[in-house]
Each structure stands twice: as C-alpha cells, then as structure tokens.
C-alpha cells in the first residue's frame, strides 16, 4: 500500500511510522509487544526539502526514504501516529539532532511512545 499524495502532503516531522517486517527477529518484536507492528521510524526533515524516516534497523541506525521504508513492510502495511500538537521549531531541531547522533549506531530493541 503506497502513501497517497494527499497523505504525503499532510505528513510532518515527528510523525511516527509503524510497519511490519516479515523476518524472525521482527516477528518476535511483534509478539512481545502484542501488536501487528514490528518496526517503527520517525519522520524528520530531509536535506532535499522533503521528509525521510530515521530508524533503528539491522544492523545499524539509518535514514530511509519513506516509500522504501513502507515497501519493506509486509503487504505494504503501515500506520502513522502523530503527536497531538505539531513540534515547535526547537523540538524539531532536538529530534533531528537526537536522530543524527544515533545514525550508524547498532540496532536498538527499545521503544517508548
């Protein structure tokens, strides 16, 4: 399932994108969390002017294009969860700094919304 242009135009930094990865490690994540989802990323600004996904993926944290992130999901399934209020410029900068600091780091199993 691809993201429609209407949805894409409404996305903003700080939105969280949930997917389901079909392999043993991620199936265990879904089972442990008692959820259909097994992987998550957060939307951050892309230097080209759009949005990209910051994710902790095997083996190391990386940025991914949103379409590529969703394409890896089983049957193209995804869900987007948004903070109740849009991030301020300061909060967005802190999120982007925190993501940048983790890029290249080893895969991390923890998540707390």
């Amino acid at each position: 399932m691809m993201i429609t242009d209407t949805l894409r135009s409404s996305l903003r930094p700080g939105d969280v994108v949930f997917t389901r990865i079909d392999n043993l490690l991620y199936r265990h994540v879904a089972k442990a969390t008692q959820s259909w989802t097994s992987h998550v990323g957060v939307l951050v600004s892309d230097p080209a002017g759009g949005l990209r996904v910051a994710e902790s993926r095997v083996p190391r944290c990386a940025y991914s294009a949103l379409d590529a992130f969703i394409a890896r999901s089983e049957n193209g399934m995804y869900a987007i969860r948004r903070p109740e209020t849009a991030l301020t410029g300061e909060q967005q900068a802190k999120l982007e700094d925190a993501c940048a600091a983790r890029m290249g780091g080893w895969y991390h199993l923890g998540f707390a919304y």
Side-chain angles (χ1 to χ4, degrees), residues 20-33 35 37-38 74:
R20 180 177 179 88
I21 306 298
D22 187 22
N23 76 29
L24 183 62
L25 171 64
Y26 289 102
R27 282 194 299 271
H28 284 294
V29 170
K31 184 176 180 180
T33 60
S35 172
T37 186
S38 61
E74 184 178 344

PDB file of all heavy atoms in Angstrom, residues 20-33 35 37-38 74:
ATOM      1  N   ARG A  20       5.397  -3.572   9.502  1.00  0.00           N
ATOM      2  CA  ARG A  20       5.555  -4.978   9.914  1.00  0.00           C
ATOM      3  C   ARG A  20       6.591  -5.630   9.009  1.00  0.00           C
ATOM      4  O   ARG A  20       6.361  -5.792   7.807  1.00  0.00           O
ATOM      5  CB  ARG A  20       4.226  -5.719   9.821  1.00  0.00           C
ATOM      6  CG  ARG A  20       4.334  -7.176  10.223  1.00  0.00           C
ATOM      7  CD  ARG A  20       2.968  -7.850  10.173  1.00  0.00           C
ATOM      8  NE  ARG A  20       3.072  -9.219  10.538  1.00  0.00           N
ATOM      9  CZ  ARG A  20       2.998  -9.692  11.790  1.00  0.00           C
ATOM     10  NH1 ARG A  20       2.826  -8.855  12.780  1.00  0.00           N
ATOM     11  NH2 ARG A  20       3.092 -10.971  12.039  1.00  0.00           N
ATOM     12  N   ILE A  21       7.707  -6.001   9.590  1.00  0.00           N
ATOM     13  CA  ILE A  21       8.775  -6.651   8.844  1.00  0.00           C
ATOM     14  C   ILE A  21       8.644  -8.161   9.028  1.00  0.00           C
ATOM     15  O   ILE A  21       8.521  -8.648  10.146  1.00  0.00           O
ATOM     16  CB  ILE A  21      10.162  -6.175   9.333  1.00  0.00           C
ATOM     17  CG1 ILE A  21      10.253  -4.649   9.300  1.00  0.00           C
ATOM     18  CG2 ILE A  21      11.278  -6.829   8.530  1.00  0.00           C
ATOM     19  CD1 ILE A  21      10.117  -4.028   7.946  1.00  0.00           C
ATOM     20  N   ASP A  22       8.669  -8.885   7.911  1.00  0.00           N
ATOM     21  CA  ASP A  22       8.456 -10.333   7.956  1.00  0.00           C
ATOM     22  C   ASP A  22       9.787 -11.073   8.014  1.00  0.00           C
ATOM     23  O   ASP A  22      10.275 -11.588   7.011  1.00  0.00           O
ATOM     24  CB  ASP A  22       7.649 -10.783   6.733  1.00  0.00           C
ATOM     25  CG  ASP A  22       7.259 -12.245   6.814  1.00  0.00           C
ATOM     26  OD1 ASP A  22       7.231 -12.799   7.927  1.00  0.00           O
ATOM     27  OD2 ASP A  22       6.983 -12.844   5.752  1.00  0.00           O
ATOM     28  N   ASN A  23      10.383 -11.080   9.203  1.00  0.00           N
ATOM     29  CA  ASN A  23      11.512 -11.976   9.456  1.00  0.00           C
ATOM     30  C   ASN A  23      11.497 -12.339  10.938  1.00  0.00           C
ATOM     31  O   ASN A  23      10.742 -11.762  11.731  1.00  0.00           O
ATOM     32  CB  ASN A  23      12.850 -11.412   8.973  1.00  0.00           C
ATOM     33  CG  ASN A  23      13.432 -10.334   9.864  1.00  0.00           C
ATOM     34  OD1 ASN A  23      13.212 -10.310  11.069  1.00  0.00           O
ATOM     35  ND2 ASN A  23      14.184  -9.435   9.285  1.00  0.00           N
ATOM     36  N   LEU A  24      12.305 -13.309  11.318  1.00  0.00           N
ATOM     37  CA  LEU A  24      12.239 -13.883  12.660  1.00  0.00           C
ATOM     38  C   LEU A  24      12.407 -12.849  13.765  1.00  0.00           C
ATOM     39  O   LEU A  24      11.598 -12.787  14.694  1.00  0.00           O
ATOM     40  CB  LEU A  24      13.289 -14.987  12.807  1.00  0.00           C
ATOM     41  CG  LEU A  24      13.284 -15.726  14.150  1.00  0.00           C
ATOM     42  CD1 LEU A  24      11.951 -16.435  14.369  1.00  0.00           C
ATOM     43  CD2 LEU A  24      14.437 -16.720  14.216  1.00  0.00           C
ATOM     44  N   LEU A  25      13.429 -12.023  13.683  1.00  0.00           N
ATOM     45  CA  LEU A  25      13.661 -11.029  14.726  1.00  0.00           C
ATOM     46  C   LEU A  25      12.445 -10.122  14.898  1.00  0.00           C
ATOM     47  O   LEU A  25      11.957  -9.922  16.011  1.00  0.00           O
ATOM     48  CB  LEU A  25      14.894 -10.184  14.398  1.00  0.00           C
ATOM     49  CG  LEU A  25      15.124  -8.971  15.306  1.00  0.00           C
ATOM     50  CD1 LEU A  25      15.409  -9.402  16.732  1.00  0.00           C
ATOM     51  CD2 LEU A  25      16.247  -8.106  14.759  1.00  0.00           C
ATOM     52  N   TYR A  26      11.942  -9.578  13.809  1.00  0.00           N
ATOM     53  CA  TYR A  26      10.832  -8.638  13.892  1.00  0.00           C
ATOM     54  C   TYR A  26       9.518  -9.325  14.272  1.00  0.00           C
ATOM     55  O   TYR A  26       8.667  -8.709  14.915  1.00  0.00           O
ATOM     56  CB  TYR A  26      10.694  -7.873  12.575  1.00  0.00           C
ATOM     57  CG  TYR A  26      11.817  -6.886  12.363  1.00  0.00           C
ATOM     58  CD1 TYR A  26      12.876  -7.177  11.508  1.00  0.00           C
ATOM     59  CD2 TYR A  26      11.827  -5.667  13.024  1.00  0.00           C
ATOM     60  CE1 TYR A  26      13.898  -6.269  11.309  1.00  0.00           C
ATOM     61  CE2 TYR A  26      12.851  -4.755  12.825  1.00  0.00           C
ATOM     62  CZ  TYR A  26      13.888  -5.065  11.976  1.00  0.00           C
ATOM     63  OH  TYR A  26      14.895  -4.165  11.786  1.00  0.00           O
ATOM     64  N   ARG A  27       9.332 -10.594  13.901  1.00  0.00           N
ATOM     65  CA  ARG A  27       8.138 -11.321  14.366  1.00  0.00           C
ATOM     66  C   ARG A  27       8.162 -11.451  15.880  1.00  0.00           C
ATOM     67  O   ARG A  27       7.123 -11.366  16.536  1.00  0.00           O
ATOM     68  CB  ARG A  27       8.056 -12.690  13.686  1.00  0.00           C
ATOM     69  CG  ARG A  27       7.543 -12.605  12.254  1.00  0.00           C
ATOM     70  CD  ARG A  27       7.147 -13.964  11.695  1.00  0.00           C
ATOM     71  NE  ARG A  27       8.235 -14.928  11.645  1.00  0.00           N
ATOM     72  CZ  ARG A  27       9.080 -15.085  10.636  1.00  0.00           C
ATOM     73  NH1 ARG A  27       8.981 -14.318   9.571  1.00  0.00           N
ATOM     74  NH2 ARG A  27      10.017 -15.999  10.674  1.00  0.00           N
ATOM     75  N   HIS A  28       9.353 -11.621  16.459  1.00  0.00           N
ATOM     76  CA  HIS A  28       9.466 -11.679  17.921  1.00  0.00           C
ATOM     77  C   HIS A  28       9.124 -10.329  18.547  1.00  0.00           C
ATOM     78  O   HIS A  28       8.523 -10.273  19.616  1.00  0.00           O
ATOM     79  CB  HIS A  28      10.861 -12.130  18.352  1.00  0.00           C
ATOM     80  CG  HIS A  28      11.081 -13.599  18.186  1.00  0.00           C
ATOM     81  ND1 HIS A  28      10.399 -14.543  18.914  1.00  0.00           N
ATOM     82  CD2 HIS A  28      11.908 -14.281  17.355  1.00  0.00           C
ATOM     83  CE1 HIS A  28      10.787 -15.750  18.552  1.00  0.00           C
ATOM     84  NE2 HIS A  28      11.701 -15.624  17.592  1.00  0.00           N
ATOM     85  N   VAL A  29       9.513  -9.251  17.894  1.00  0.00           N
ATOM     86  CA  VAL A  29       9.165  -7.912  18.387  1.00  0.00           C
ATOM     87  C   VAL A  29       7.651  -7.760  18.414  1.00  0.00           C
ATOM     88  O   VAL A  29       7.071  -7.312  19.412  1.00  0.00           O
ATOM     89  CB  VAL A  29       9.813  -6.809  17.520  1.00  0.00           C
ATOM     90  CG1 VAL A  29       9.264  -5.439  17.884  1.00  0.00           C
ATOM     91  CG2 VAL A  29      11.331  -6.842  17.656  1.00  0.00           C
ATOM     92  N   ALA A  30       6.974  -8.135  17.328  1.00  0.00           N
ATOM     93  CA  ALA A  30       5.513  -8.033  17.271  1.00  0.00           C
ATOM     94  C   ALA A  30       4.860  -8.892  18.357  1.00  0.00           C
ATOM     95  O   ALA A  30       3.924  -8.452  19.031  1.00  0.00           O
ATOM     96  CB  ALA A  30       5.002  -8.446  15.894  1.00  0.00           C
ATOM     97  N   LYS A  31       5.375 -10.074  18.527  1.00  0.00           N
ATOM     98  CA  LYS A  31       4.810 -10.963  19.549  1.00  0.00           C
ATOM     99  C   LYS A  31       5.016 -10.381  20.947  1.00  0.00           C
ATOM    100  O   LYS A  31       4.099 -10.378  21.771  1.00  0.00           O
ATOM    101  CB  LYS A  31       5.461 -12.339  19.452  1.00  0.00           C
ATOM    102  CG  LYS A  31       4.875 -13.356  20.397  1.00  0.00           C
ATOM    103  CD  LYS A  31       5.494 -14.726  20.185  1.00  0.00           C
ATOM    104  CE  LYS A  31       4.901 -15.727  21.149  1.00  0.00           C
ATOM    105  NZ  LYS A  31       5.486 -17.054  20.976  1.00  0.00           N
ATOM    106  N   ALA A  32       6.201  -9.866  21.220  1.00  0.00           N
ATOM    107  CA  ALA A  32       6.497  -9.315  22.544  1.00  0.00           C
ATOM    108  C   ALA A  32       5.642  -8.093  22.857  1.00  0.00           C
ATOM    109  O   ALA A  32       5.272  -7.869  24.012  1.00  0.00           O
ATOM    110  CB  ALA A  32       7.976  -8.963  22.653  1.00  0.00           C
ATOM    111  N   THR A  33       5.334  -7.315  21.838  1.00  0.00           N
ATOM    112  CA  THR A  33       4.525  -6.109  22.052  1.00  0.00           C
ATOM    113  C   THR A  33       3.037  -6.366  21.851  1.00  0.00           C
ATOM    114  O   THR A  33       2.233  -5.465  22.013  1.00  0.00           O
ATOM    115  CB  THR A  33       4.972  -4.978  21.105  1.00  0.00           C
ATOM    116  OG1 THR A  33       4.808  -5.415  19.749  1.00  0.00           O
ATOM    117  CG2 THR A  33       6.415  -4.569  21.361  1.00  0.00           C
ATOM    118  N   SER A  35       1.310  -6.845  19.144  1.00  0.00           N
ATOM    119  CA  SER A  35       0.849  -5.897  18.142  1.00  0.00           C
ATOM    120  C   SER A  35       1.095  -6.457  16.757  1.00  0.00           C
ATOM    121  O   SER A  35       1.917  -7.338  16.565  1.00  0.00           O
ATOM    122  CB  SER A  35       1.636  -4.592  18.315  1.00  0.00           C
ATOM    123  OG  SER A  35       1.361  -3.699  17.263  1.00  0.00           O
ATOM    124  N   THR A  37       2.387  -4.619  14.509  1.00  0.00           N
ATOM    125  CA  THR A  37       3.572  -3.907  14.048  1.00  0.00           C
ATOM    126  C   THR A  37       4.840  -4.459  14.678  1.00  0.00           C
ATOM    127  O   THR A  37       4.813  -4.970  15.797  1.00  0.00           O
ATOM    128  CB  THR A  37       3.439  -2.393  14.326  1.00  0.00           C
ATOM    129  OG1 THR A  37       4.546  -1.715  13.741  1.00  0.00           O
ATOM    130  CG2 THR A  37       3.394  -2.103  15.790  1.00  0.00           C
ATOM    131  N   SER A  38       5.928  -4.355  13.933  1.00  0.00           N
ATOM    132  CA  SER A  38       7.191  -4.867  14.463  1.00  0.00           C
ATOM    133  C   SER A  38       8.359  -3.913  14.220  1.00  0.00           C
ATOM    134  O   SER A  38       9.481  -4.203  14.596  1.00  0.00           O
ATOM    135  CB  SER A  38       7.516  -6.218  13.814  1.00  0.00           C
ATOM    136  OG  SER A  38       7.646  -6.082  12.410  1.00  0.00           O
ATOM    137  N   GLU A  74       5.515  -5.868   5.397  1.00  0.00           N
ATOM    138  CA  GLU A  74       4.708  -6.995   4.925  1.00  0.00           C
ATOM    139  C   GLU A  74       3.391  -6.479   4.357  1.00  0.00           C
ATOM    140  O   GLU A  74       2.660  -5.741   5.019  1.00  0.00           O
ATOM    141  CB  GLU A  74       4.461  -7.956   6.087  1.00  0.00           C
ATOM    142  CG  GLU A  74       3.729  -9.212   5.720  1.00  0.00           C
ATOM    143  CD  GLU A  74       3.552 -10.149   6.912  1.00  0.00           C
ATOM    144  OE1 GLU A  74       4.241  -9.980   7.941  1.00  0.00           O
ATOM    145  OE2 GLU A  74       2.711 -11.044   6.805  1.00  0.00           O
TER     146      GLU A  74
END
